[in-house]
Amino acid sequence: MSTASARRSTVNEPDRTGADRDGGAASRILVVDDEPNLAEVLSMALRFQGFTVETAASGREAISAVAGFKPHLMVLDVMLPDMEGFEVAERLGAQRAGVPIIFLTARDSTEDKVRGLSGGGDDYMTKPFSLEELVARIRTILRRTGQAAADSGRLVFADLELDEESHEVIRAGEPIDLTATEFRLLRYLMLNPRRVMTRSELLDHVWNYDFGGDGRVLETYVSYLRKKLDAHGPPLIRTVRGVGYGLTPPRG
C-alpha cells in the first residue's frame, strides 16, 4: 500500500488553515505503531501541531523509548508484532502512571475498550479515526494529567531565542530584526531542531500551501535568514543537498 493510500484509508488529515497549535510546543509524544505509513502520518501531523515526536515499532522499543525519551504521553497501538499494547502498559508498571496512554486499535469491542481503560489507558480510539480528534484528546489528557509542558511562547536553540508573543528574536544577547516570513521560517525550524526539513515541508508549513513549482523562494529566504543569524555567531542552519534544511548546534 502506498503512503498516500494509507493516509486516505487510515486517518483524516487536519485542515492546516485552522490547526490549533497552542500548548504543545515542547510536549513529547511517543507514537508506537508497527505500520510505517501510519506512524509517519501521525508523526508529521503531531510535529506540525508543535509536539516533539519519536516513534517505536514494537513493544520492546516502546518500553526502551519511555526510559530514554521520557514522553509526556504515548499513542500506543494494541496490535504489535511482539506483544499487545495492553502488555506494554502492564510492563511499564509504575512508569505508566506518569505517562498517559491513548490506545489505538482496529478492535472496537466493548471488552477490549474496558480492558484498555482499566489496564492503564487514559483513552481508547478505534481505526479509522479523525486526526483532529486525536490531537484534541492528546491536549485534553495532557492538561488533565498535568503533563503538558509549560507554553511560555519562547523557543530556545543554542544561543538563539525566539519569543512567539512579542515576535522578538535574540542571538547571543543581540536582537535580530526579521520580516514576518523570516520569523515564520525560523519558528518552524526551531520547532523541529536537529531535524532536516524537506523543501516541500517548509514551503507547505511556512507559506501554508502545497508548492508545486521550484524552491527558489525558499532558498532566498533561507539565505536572508542565514545572513542575519550568522552575523551574531557560528552558522546554525545546515543545508543537506537534495533534501532541505535544518538547525544544528555550532561545532565545538
Side-chain angles (χ1 to χ4, degrees), residues 100-208:
I101 296 173
I102 297 179
F103 284 114
L104 296 181
T105 182
R107 301 180 343 199
D108 60 356
S109 70
T110 300
E111 180 182 352
D112 284 327
K113 291 180 181 179
V114 170
R115 183 182 176 189
L117 294 174
S118 62
D122 293 81
D123 210 336
Y124 191 104
M125 295 186 68
T126 55
K127 303 175 183 179
F129 55 88
S130 161
L131 204 47
E132 295 97 325
E133 182 181 356
L134 175 61
V135 171
R137 292 194 187 193
I138 287 174
R139 294 195 188 282
T140 297
I141 292 172
L142 289 174
R143 286 193 298 267
R144 187 180 72 222
T145 61
Q147 293 291 328
D151 183 21
S152 64
R154 181 171 171 268
L155 302 176
V156 178
F157 182 83
D159 60 350
L160 181 65
E161 300 178 30
L162 180 149
D163 191 312
E164 296 183 285
E165 296 182 359
S166 65
H167 273 233
E168 293 179 332
V169 175
I170 296 173
R171 183 168 191 199
E174 296 294 327
I176 300 175
D177 185 23
L178 300 182
T179 66
T181 301
E182 290 167 352
F183 184 89
R184 289 197 304 271
L185 176 59
L186 178 60
R187 177 184 179 274
Y188 193 66
L189 289 171
M190 292 183 72
L191 284 172
N192 296 274
R194 298 178 176 82
R195 177 174 174 241
V196 177
M197 311 296 295
T198 66
R199 288 177 171 81
S200 59
E201 281 180 291
L202 289 166
L203 286 163
D204 189 16
H205 295 312
V206 177
W207 280 265
N208 294 316

Side-chain angles (χ1 to χ4, degrees), residues 196 199 219 238-245:
V196 177
R199 288 177 171 81
E219 293 173 3
R238 174 191 176 199
T239 301
V240 178
R241 294 187 181 278
V243 181
Y245 305 93

